[in-house]
Amino acid sequence: MKKTLLGLLLTFGIAFILNAQTTFNLVQTVTLTPSDDPYAIAAGDIDKDGYDDILYASSGNGTFSWLKNDGTGNFAAPVTIGAGGHSFPNAVAIADLNNDTYNDVILSTYTSVIWYPNDQAGGFLPVETIGTINGSGPVLVRTIDSGSTLDVAVSAFDGNEVVWFSNDGSGNFGSKNIINNTIINPAAFDMADIDGDGDVDAVISNARVFGTPNDSRIEVFYNDGFGVFTADTNPVADNTKDYVWSVVFADVDNDENDDATANNAMDILVTDLNGNASWYKRTEISSGTATYSETPFTTSIVNPATIAFEDLDNDALKDVVLSSGTSGTGNDIVWFKNNDSGTFASEDILDATQSQVYTMAFGYFDEDRDDPNFDINKDIDIASAAYNNDNIKIFDNQKVVLSIDDSSLTKFSIYPNPTKNTLNFKVPFTENFKVSVYDVLGKNVLDASLEANKSLDVSKLNAGIYILKFNDYNTSFKFVKQ
């Protein structure tokens, strides 16, 4: 699909600039049966062939299915998992629950969380139950307690609780443990290490209309390391959002490497179906106490649904991707390029051909994975489930377009090249900047943040050919270390 960097290493004395453009092509539409109403989607390697497949659930007929990737980004017809007839399937996940190196598939229904073990032959063993709940929401697979096994967490809308089930490592699950049971009608939640203490914490929202005190709420809950959770003293948002759809932990302002403790690194992305998409910067005051300040995104999407944080343009900064829950015409998927430090470009329309894209999945669907420089050249693709269209669409990322821009040669340069100890820079800016260095096999060997007039110390690198990338400018150079 794309040239490798090895093919660009022509002469040692010439530096080529690799310009990248990010566009997405609709490469396949998987048409489902009428009233399938695909409502949940995930991507991952289900059959262990090295390529990401697609897993989805249909709320209209209660089926649970997967699409096999042939390795080129083309997906076969849906294959139903189990007998079907699941009541209100709400969320899906892909993970190795029994530690046999094969990914299993997980589904939350209205009354339970279930999983199908991978039979290691392209199919699945009979269904097993993880636990029972009352009105399921999203399901997450994380290591929650002090063990090393993957546990399962789920929100229960009608049960007014978010719970998790401990896994013994072989796919046997214990009774439910409570993360929170005080938020009414909990829905979207996420889990990650927000306070930098090595265990996963939780952020929980509820699907309520604001207007009555505490009806609409987003809160963070800290894990003690053993799966016992305590609420932050301050809520992220209290009675300001109308039917929250997504909450996601993310280092939005890229301050993880700037803080001595990294305790301020994780921020929170939020959407609500009433028309808002925002991010909340977290500032830790003390252990268990933080403040949260909101910055909205300006978007054409009237009813924001899923919000995601993915590096679409491969510049080492994750971008914000937003889908629409609107029925009818309008923009359905847009993205905001991350300009670093919590600033984003105006929205770029990725697709406007669907209706009610409640969920999206991200994966490496095509031959990018076979590229010997995959770690550098990888571009993440997108699959969307259009609830109102009864289809799944696959968009191929066309990011890497290699060319030589003569005008840019006068703006950026590195010297001396070849070099023994240091690289100097000529750059068209005065602010600090970040660079990454990769060897010819695509391995990241050096990262640095530099002042505009400072040099990069490369004395510890082995002799050879390297690629230096200006992380914020989609600009790269080849250099030789003597």
Side-chain angles (χ1 to χ4, degrees):
M1 173 181 166
K2 52 177 80 79
K3 299 178 182 177
T4 66
L5 290 175
L6 289 171
L8 297 171
L9 303 178
L10 301 177
T11 60
F12 291 172
I14 301 175
F16 287 91
I17 293 180
L18 310 181
N19 296 315
Q21 300 172 351
T22 305
T23 59
F24 287 82
N25 287 346
L26 175 62
V27 294
Q28 187 176 358
T29 299
V30 180
T31 302
L32 308 178
T33 59
S35 300
D36 246 16
D37 300 338
Y39 193 70
I41 191 170
D45 186 3
I46 293 175
D47 53 358
K48 204 177 179 179
D49 63 355
Y51 298 98
D52 287 340
D53 308 299
I54 293 173
L55 178 72
Y56 72 94
S58 298
S59 61
N61 55 26
T63 56
F64 184 38
S65 308
W66 73 292
L67 308 173
K68 177 178 171 54
N69 187 343
D70 70 0
T72 67
N74 182 68
F75 292 85
V79 176
T80 300
I81 301 170
H86 300 294
S87 174
F88 298 105
N90 197 295
V92 298
I94 301 171
D96 180 10
L97 295 183
N98 56 4
N99 202 31
D100 64 357
T101 74
Y102 282 79
N103 279 329
D104 310 301
V105 293
I106 302 102
L107 172 69
S108 68
T109 72
Y110 186 81
T111 57
S112 63
V113 184
I114 60 176
W115 70 290
Y116 289 84
N118 195 320
D119 70 2
Q120 304 184 16
F124 300 92
L125 298 174
V127 64
E128 298 189 22
T129 298
I130 294 172
T132 58
I133 51 178
N134 185 10
S136 76
V139 60
L140 299 176
V141 181
R142 302 284 192 273
T143 298
I144 297 175
D145 54 17
S146 58
S148 59
T149 60
L150 291 175
D151 308 306
V152 175
V154 64
S155 63
F157 180 87
D158 289 331
N160 296 318
E161 60 185 8
V162 180
V163 302
W164 69 278
F165 300 89
S166 180
N167 183 2
D168 69 357
S170 298
N172 301 307
F173 291 86
S175 57
K176 72 179 182 181
N177 302 278
I178 305 296
I179 296 176
N180 172 261
N181 58 3
T182 62
I183 294 180
I184 301 171
N185 300 139
F189 75 107
D190 195 15
M191 301 189 77
D193 184 8
I194 195 172
D195 55 359
D197 64 354
D199 52 49
V200 296
D201 309 298
V203 58
I204 302 173
S205 68
N206 61 353
R208 300 277 288 184
V209 177
F210 70 82
T212 302
N214 300 322
D215 263 6
S216 171
R217 196 166 180 85
I218 305 172
E219 285 190 85
V220 166
F221 296 84
Y222 299 105
N223 189 345
D224 69 351
F226 299 94
V228 177
F229 292 81
T230 303
D232 193 325
T233 305
N234 299 316
V236 179
D238 188 10
N239 207 31
T240 61
K241 299 296 178 184
D242 193 350
Y243 204 91
V244 173
W245 187 267
S246 288
V247 289
V248 177
F249 281 131
D251 181 15
V252 177
D253 53 2
N254 198 31
D255 63 358
E256 182 174 6
N257 295 322
D258 300 333
D259 297 337
T261 63
N263 284 353
N264 293 334
M266 281 292 184
D267 309 300
I268 300 170
L269 293 164
V270 176
T271 64
D272 70 87
L273 286 178
N274 197 42
N276 300 296
S278 307
W279 71 277
Y280 287 83
K281 178 174 177 59
R282 176 182 183 271
T283 302
E284 185 171 282
I285 304 302
S286 61
S287 179
T289 302
T291 60
Y292 303 88
S293 55
E294 181 182 12
T295 300
F297 292 95
T298 300
T299 177
S300 61
I301 290 181
V302 177
N303 304 115
T306 293
I307 194 167
F309 200 48
E310 301 286 348
D311 186 4
L312 298 189
D313 53 0
N314 198 18
D315 63 353
L317 294 170
K318 290 188 175 183
D319 310 298
V320 170
V321 192
L322 189 62
S323 76
S324 172
T326 302
S327 175
T329 60
N331 295 328
D332 298 298
I333 304 176
V334 302
W335 70 286
F336 302 83
K337 175 178 170 55
N338 191 338
N339 291 329
D340 205 358
S341 302
T343 63
F344 294 83
S346 299
E347 74 172 20
D348 191 356
I349 300 170
L350 195 151
D351 180 68
T353 66
Q354 304 175 82
S355 179
Q356 291 184 308
V357 183
Y358 287 126
T359 53
M360 299 178 289
F362 300 83
Y364 302 107
F365 295 146
D366 53 20
E367 63 268 25
D368 297 345
R369 192 176 290 278
D370 289 336
D371 191 324
N373 290 294
F374 174 69
D375 286 340
I376 299 177
N377 287 349
K378 64 182 180 181
D379 52 38
I380 196 163
D381 308 308
I382 299 175
S384 62
Y387 178 86
N388 207 36
N389 296 135
D390 296 312
N391 63 37
I392 291 172
K393 293 195 173 186
I394 294 94
F395 298 89
D396 182 47
N397 191 335
Q398 302 289 301
K399 180 204 151 286
V400 179
V401 180
L402 302 181
S403 63
I404 302 172
D405 183 349
D406 292 336
S407 64
S408 294
L409 291 173
T410 63
K411 299 178 181 179
F412 289 86
S413 65
I414 62 174
Y415 62 93
N417 189 12
T419 184
K420 289 185 177 181
N421 298 309
T422 60
L423 276 176
N424 301 314
F425 304 96
K426 177 183 176 182
V427 294
F429 46 79
T430 59
E431 67 269 17
N432 296 353
F433 62 97
K434 296 179 181 180
V435 296
S436 296
V437 176
Y438 302 86
D439 64 21
V440 293
L441 297 180
K443 181 181 179 182
N444 181 209
V445 295
L446 180 63
D447 292 298
S449 296
L450 301 171
E451 297 178 16
N453 60 346
K454 296 297 183 180
S455 301
L456 176 67
D457 182 2
V458 295
S459 60
K460 295 182 180 179
L461 296 180
N462 295 326
I465 302 170
Y466 295 89
I467 299 297
L468 180 139
K469 178 179 178 181
F470 290 86
N471 291 337
D472 298 336
Y473 296 92
N474 287 337
T475 302
S476 300
F477 285 89
K478 179 265 301 178
F479 73 93
V480 178
K481 167 65 170 62
Q482 294 179 326

